[in-house]
């Protein structure tokens, strides 16, 4: 007879009481696990180097002025809202198949400390947001010289 343990859910509050100084990690874990999973628009996160990353979002059908990128308190928010009246456009065109979505979106990413947005560019229906980790000199690790008394 073998004993099996099945983990049905992660009980964050019971784990939380045994930790000191990790409050923000558990708060972030609870926030992420409680969010609904929406796959629109699809995106990629790419690591170029240890300090350079980019996020790619598929934004086909959005025009200049339809997308806003904003950073506030380590939160990168990308909003897409098609400003042209879609009802008028749909009346002019008869679709036999409509596979390209025309809905608005809000996508939020939590950025690590010292990560800055350096560029945002749309090319071929892909929004690429370039990110760079810029750690201040006073925050970088430094070697401490050890003196020995003789």
């Amino acid at each position: 007879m073998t004993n099996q343990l099945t983990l049905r859910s992660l009980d964050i509050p019971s784990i939380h009481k045994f930790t000191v100084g990790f409050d923000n990690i558990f708060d972030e874990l609870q926030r992420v696990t409680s969010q609904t999973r929406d796959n629109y628009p699809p995106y990629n996160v790419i690591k170029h180097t240890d300090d350079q990353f980019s996020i790619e979002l598929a934004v086909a059908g959005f025009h200049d002025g339809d997308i806003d990128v904003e950073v506030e308190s380590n939160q990168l928010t990308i909003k897409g809202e098609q400003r042209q009246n879609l009802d008028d456009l749909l009346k002019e065109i008869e679709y036999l198949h409509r596979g390209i979505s025309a809905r608005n979106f809000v996508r939020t990413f939590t950025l690590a400390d010292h990560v800055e947005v350096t560029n945002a560019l749309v090319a071929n229906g892909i929004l690429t947001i370039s990110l760079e980790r810029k750690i201040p000199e006073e925050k970088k690790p430094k070697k401490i010289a050890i003196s020995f008394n003789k």
Side-chain angles (χ1 to χ4, degrees):
M1 182 173 166
T2 62
N3 292 334
Q4 287 186 337
L5 174 65
T6 303
L7 183 61
R8 298 191 190 280
S9 66
L10 185 59
D11 188 8
I12 298 295
S14 67
I15 295 171
H16 193 277
K17 66 183 174 186
F18 297 111
T19 62
V20 176
F22 291 97
D23 297 337
N24 60 345
I25 292 171
F26 286 101
D27 291 344
E28 185 64 18
L29 183 59
Q30 281 183 314
R31 185 188 69 77
V32 169
T33 57
S34 67
Q35 286 181 344
T36 59
R37 302 286 182 212
D38 184 15
N39 292 330
Y40 183 77
Y43 68 93
N44 298 325
V45 178
I46 302 167
K47 178 180 179 182
H48 301 286
T49 67
D50 285 342
D51 293 323
Q52 294 181 330
F53 308 88
S54 61
I55 298 172
E56 296 177 333
L57 276 87
V59 293
F62 287 87
H63 301 285
D64 188 17
D66 289 350
I67 301 171
D68 292 319
V69 177
E70 183 177 300
V71 177
E72 183 179 347
S73 301
N74 288 9
Q75 292 288 319
L76 169 63
T77 303
I78 304 148
K79 295 178 186 176
E81 183 176 329
Q82 294 185 343
R83 302 204 193 294
Q84 66 181 1
N85 190 345
L86 290 176
D87 292 334
D88 292 342
L89 183 62
L90 293 176
K91 288 177 186 174
E92 297 174 11
I93 300 171
E94 178 184 356
Y95 286 95
L96 299 178
H97 172 77
R98 186 169 170 92
I100 298 174
S101 182
R103 61 184 175 170
N104 298 334
F105 70 89
V106 175
R107 173 79 68 183
T108 303
F109 297 90
T110 300
L111 301 179
D113 290 336
H114 312 297
V115 172
E116 299 176 7
V117 175
T118 59
N119 191 23
L121 171 72
V122 176
N124 299 323
I126 302 292
L127 168 64
T128 302
I129 299 172
S130 301
L131 308 168
E132 185 173 353
R133 182 181 305 135
K134 297 181 180 180
I135 301 175
E137 283 299 320
E138 63 271 5
K139 299 282 185 177
K140 289 183 180 178
K142 53 187 163 190
K143 284 273 193 191
I144 307 299
I146 301 172
S147 300
F148 287 90
N149 289 336
K150 295 182 181 183

